[in-house]
Amino acid sequence: MSADTDELRVWIDQDLCTGDGLCVQYAPEVFELDIDGLAYVKDHSGELRQEPGARVGVPRGLLLEVVDSAKECPGDCIHVVRASDGTAVAGPGAD
């Protein structure tokens, strides 16, 4: 992977999560509802990342699904950012 590749990362603000599960419907490989009813991101091995602000890479094949989940999220809590500089691509703070 070259240094100029815009690799994206995604994270969820659980304080704003409404637990609707739209993100899980869009990209179950990246998002999962936990026993507390809130959504969390999963890493490439499928491990649920429950630490606050945990960020995981967005698989290239799921880019549109992850961006759509951030745009459609009723809690406006899914952040998709560029790994290189943290610029918001979708979700809160994105254009």
Side-chain angles (χ1 to χ4, degrees):
M1 182 179 300
S2 65
D4 61 349
T5 300
D6 284 343
E7 183 184 352
L8 300 180
R9 306 208 32 96
V10 61
W11 63 282
I12 297 176
D13 183 344
Q14 279 77 28
D15 290 339
L16 300 176
C17 181
T18 60
D20 283 274
L22 284 174
C23 56
V24 177
Q25 292 175 24
Y26 275 103
E29 302 88 347
V30 178
F31 304 107
E32 185 174 319
L33 290 176
D34 198 21
I35 195 166
D36 61 5
L38 301 178
Y40 293 86
V41 292
K42 298 191 289 188
D43 63 23
H44 67 281
S45 68
E47 186 73 27
L48 204 63
R49 300 288 304 274
Q50 294 177 298
E51 60 276 12
R55 296 178 180 210
V56 299
V58 177
R60 289 187 189 277
L62 294 171
L63 177 61
L64 291 177
E65 290 84 351
V66 171
V67 167
D68 284 346
S69 69
K71 290 179 177 178
E72 299 298 326
C73 176
D76 202 27
C77 67
I78 300 172
H79 300 257
V80 182
V81 298
R82 208 165 37 214
S84 60
D85 60 8
T87 299
V89 174
D95 291 335

